[in-house]
Amino acid sequence: MVTLSETERQIIESSIRDIKDFPKEGIVFKDITTLLNNKEAYGVLMNHLYERYKEYDLDYIAGIDARGFIFGAALAQMLHLGFVPIRKKGKLPYTTISEKYALEYGVDEIEVHIDAFGKKKGARVLVIDDLIATGGTANAAATLVNQTGAKCVECCFVIGLSFLEGIEKLKEKTEVYSLIEVH
Ligand code: AMP
């Protein structure tokens, strides 16, 4: 199993910018745009993901709307795999299945094309997003992947807010890997 070295972890972690009280008071927003425009940090991250997941015998990478698309699409190309977007409700043009999940106030919904993972039963899928907080979004994404007949083999995040217990809840459903854990 390929794990992140301390040097790699520091390069990635120091490239992520904390924005206090965004989008509202009390939230520390993890801004990954400063990781993406830093070619060393972005390169270290993508190389690490490539080294880890090349052994997983994956069929598809599924990225969560919208920042999961950036890492997921790049990784899919590196691994010579197809990429599948899991989108917010109402954005995908063909037949979809959707899943609702709870937000702090209210609900949100994500969806995927019904045929996104091809005809092969049990296609092996990695779900990727920039960050896991409560885990609601990723849980819904893993559920959707499994409902299509494919299999979510792991959910991967650049950042895990481990003080929120989202990671622990998601581990009941699938394997979870987060590179940078915020305690
Ligand atoms: P959750 O469903 O609570 O795990 O929220 C995860 C989603 O919300 C991800 O798509 C993140 O991009 C976004 N998100 C939640 N909290 C933050 C945060 N503190 N900084 C940046 N993005 C966040």
Side-chain angles (χ1 to χ4, degrees):
M1 181 66 64
V2 179
T3 50
L4 202 63
S5 76
E6 188 50 28
T7 313
E8 289 172 324
R9 198 185 62 76
Q10 272 170 16
I11 291 169
I12 296 167
E13 190 166 10
S14 63
S15 74
I16 298 164
R17 179 163 60 184
D18 283 358
I19 310 285
K20 290 206 176 70
D21 298 323
F22 182 87
K24 57 183 183 183
E25 223 178 300
I27 305 280
V28 179
F29 190 87
K30 294 286 180 183
D31 177 15
I32 52 108
T33 65
T34 45
L35 185 167
L36 295 171
N37 75 2
N38 176 330
K39 65 183 177 194
E40 186 192 15
Y42 193 22
V44 165
L45 171 72
M46 293 313 303
N47 278 334
H48 171 70
L49 293 178
Y50 171 75
E51 289 300 326
R52 179 181 175 87
Y53 288 112
K54 72 180 183 190
E55 313 295 349
Y56 269 58
D57 193 25
L58 294 168
D59 295 304
Y60 296 91
I61 307 287
I64 299 178
D65 202 342
R67 289 181 289 271
F69 296 170
I70 301 165
F71 304 109
L75 183 62
Q77 260 301 294
M78 291 170 89
L79 292 167
H80 304 293
L81 298 173
F83 173 76
V84 172
I86 295 179
R87 297 218 62 181
K88 295 275 166 62
K89 180 88 180 151
K91 302 287 184 187
L92 290 170
Y94 185 60
T95 310
T96 59
I97 53 170
S98 65
E99 183 74 11
K100 291 194 175 76
Y101 57 97
L103 297 173
E104 197 179 351
Y105 302 102
V107 288
D108 213 339
E109 197 165 352
I110 51 172
E111 58 186 9
V112 70
H113 278 148
I114 191 130
D115 60 352
F117 302 107
K119 290 196 173 68
K120 180 181 146 190
K121 274 270 166 215
R124 292 170 59 78
V125 178
L126 174 75
V127 170
I128 189 161
D129 202 359
D130 64 330
L131 181 143
I132 177 166
T134 66
T137 317
N139 230 296
T143 300
L144 280 180
V145 169
N146 293 341
Q147 275 174 2
T148 65
K151 180 173 170 44
C152 174
V153 295
E154 187 156 290
C155 285
C156 170
F157 308 92
V158 180
I159 306 152
L161 304 187
S162 43
F163 59 89
L164 283 175
E165 291 170 6
I167 296 172
E168 287 313 309
K169 266 189 269 167
L170 187 59
K171 277 183 180 165
E172 292 166 16
K173 176 169 284 176
T174 185
E175 298 294 319
V176 180
Y177 179 56
S178 58
L179 283 86
I180 309 292
E181 299 236 337
V182 181
H183 300 281

